[in-house]
Amino acid sequence: MANPLLAVSGLSVDFSRGGKIMRAVDDVSFSLAPGEVLGLVGESGSGKTTIGRALLRLLPQTDTKWSGTMLYQGTDLAKLSRGEMRRMRSKLQMIFQDPLSSFNPRRRLEDIVAEGLVIQGVPKPEREKRVRAALNDVGFDLDAVAGRTPHQFSGGQCQRIAIARALAVEPELIVCDEPVASLDVSVQAQVINLLQDIRETRKLSLIFISHDLAVVKNVSDRVAVLYRGKTVEIGAGEALYALPAHPYTRTLLEAVPVVDASRKVVPDRNRIDVPSRNQPLSGCAFRTRCPRAADICASHEPVLRLASGGQMVACHHPHDKPISGPFAASAQGGDDADGR
């Protein structure tokens, strides 16, 4: 990618617990263009949130070891001092899954949204102007909500406040960590539409972390699929959903519940061995669960290579046929993407 906004190369993160080392992220590399949305998907424990926190240097200071480069407009975030990284956060922000846990319950809404501006030393008149603009972008009138505290808002409203707090510092990149996972379906749609509108009006780049495959498909330009901390497939969303090459990607897509019983997919139960994350594996990390595994999968670790759909896949025996299941119709121009 020419002139990427963000270029991550060889990112690895290890956590130490009880004398044991667990690798949460293993040699992950990707790039992000200005104005692009990159979706990160995978089951729980695949390393999605760890990648997002690593980018903003929010990992625990103790019992954590990480390596690799994270170039943001040519500046390696991994090498910045704490003071330099603090100043850099005016360009990089994060929206957390549970906004209430990141709010001071005793602070007023306007103070919460202005928190980043205070840290930056923005003068008070300019602070109020930017807080008002950020709240307006997420559908709040400052004069109507000023003085209220977080417990006076619903979950969806709190998430909109969290988005406003991120927008107030006028960032170029926002990491969205499961921003709609704890919300009702109707509220999810409102927040997703809000993020898409803000992305277009403010020309933002987003890293969208989610386990909801339908949501990721609708909001992302490209999608990276993670398994046990490794990137197993990455490419344009339409190509990846229409013709998933990695068996794990296909398993994720075919496991999405559907209402239409005629499109029900029976999962493969020949391989159900799920090894511990503390247990290192030779070869392919997915081989103990993969119905296509062969001897080479145990002896040689696959590397990312071009698949027939145009995406990159790390698999010795990739699929080359369209998917069946809830995303099949949408890939061919039929039903809605979420299968409902």
Side-chain angles (χ1 to χ4, degrees), residues 19-313:
K20 295 183 178 180
I21 303 297
M22 186 195 77
R23 175 147 290 189
V25 179
D26 191 359
D27 195 24
V28 167
S29 300
F30 62 86
S31 59
L32 183 71
E36 183 183 27
V37 179
L38 175 67
L40 300 183
V41 299
E43 61 195 15
S44 297
S46 61
K48 308 184 299 296
T49 294
T50 302
I51 291 173
R53 289 180 174 271
L55 291 173
L56 275 83
R57 299 274 298 276
L58 297 177
L59 294 175
Q61 297 296 310
T62 58
D63 300 324
T64 304
K65 181 180 180 182
W66 53 292
S67 60
T69 60
M70 301 180 292
L71 296 178
Y72 180 80
Q73 294 182 329
T75 300
D76 191 351
L77 302 176
K79 295 181 179 180
L80 297 181
S81 66
R82 293 183 66 179
E84 291 171 334
M85 189 63 211
R86 195 174 193 179
R87 290 190 291 272
M88 181 63 76
R89 290 198 182 107
S90 63
K91 299 181 179 179
L92 299 96
Q93 286 289 298
M94 190 166 190
I95 299 171
F96 299 93
Q97 177 177 345
D98 180 11
L100 281 175
S101 65
S102 65
F103 291 165
N104 184 330
R106 297 183 178 182
R107 300 195 71 184
R108 300 175 302 173
L109 170 143
E110 59 268 33
D111 295 330
I112 290 174
V113 177
E115 185 175 4
L117 300 174
V118 173
I119 293 173
Q120 291 179 16
V122 176
K124 187 173 181 179
E126 176 67 13
R127 276 206 312 265
E128 182 175 343
K129 178 182 177 182
R130 288 166 68 170
V131 167
R132 185 178 296 276
L135 285 171
N136 184 67
D137 280 351
V138 299
F140 284 114
D141 180 359
L142 177 59
D143 295 329
V145 297
R148 297 186 187 180
T149 52
H151 76 277
Q152 295 177 283
F153 297 93
S154 67
Q157 289 174 324
C158 283
Q159 194 60 283
R160 286 158 56 195
I161 295 169
I163 295 171
R165 180 175 61 177
L167 293 175
V169 297
E170 299 179 352
E172 298 171 343
L173 168 62
I174 297 180
V175 177
C176 305
D177 184 14
E178 301 271 11
V180 297
S182 59
L183 305 178
D184 293 337
V185 174
S186 59
V187 181
Q188 285 184 12
Q190 295 173 16
V191 173
I192 291 169
N193 290 336
L194 173 62
L195 286 171
Q196 289 178 316
D197 291 342
I198 291 172
R199 172 208 173 185
E200 294 175 1
T201 56
R202 294 205 175 208
K203 310 299 181 184
L204 288 171
S205 296
L206 302 179
I207 293 179
F208 196 94
I209 299 170
S210 180
H211 65 275
D212 190 323
L213 297 166
V215 169
V216 172
K217 181 179 185 296
N218 290 328
V219 303
S220 303
D221 300 310
R222 287 189 303 137
V223 177
V225 182
L226 301 169
Y227 179 72
R228 284 177 64 102
K230 294 178 178 291
T231 305
V232 297
E233 191 165 358
I234 183 169
E238 288 298 327
L240 189 143
Y241 277 75
L243 185 58
H246 199 283
Y248 176 62
T249 308
R250 188 165 292 241
T251 298
L252 287 176
L253 295 174
E254 292 181 341
V256 175
V258 294
V259 176
D260 187 355
S262 66
R263 289 160 56 189
K264 183 178 180 180
V265 176
V266 180
D268 186 285
R269 301 188 184 276
N270 293 328
R271 295 176 178 271
I272 56 173
D273 181 17
V274 182
S276 168
R277 288 298 301 268
N278 296 323
Q279 174 186 346
L281 285 177
S282 61
C284 177
F286 188 62
R287 62 180 173 79
T288 59
R289 299 171 61 183
C290 180
R292 299 168 72 90
D295 291 342
I296 190 175
C297 302
S299 58
H300 292 79
E301 182 177 355
V303 297
L304 288 170
R305 58 191 178 93
L306 190 64
S308 57
Q311 69 271 42
M312 303 296 289
V313 60

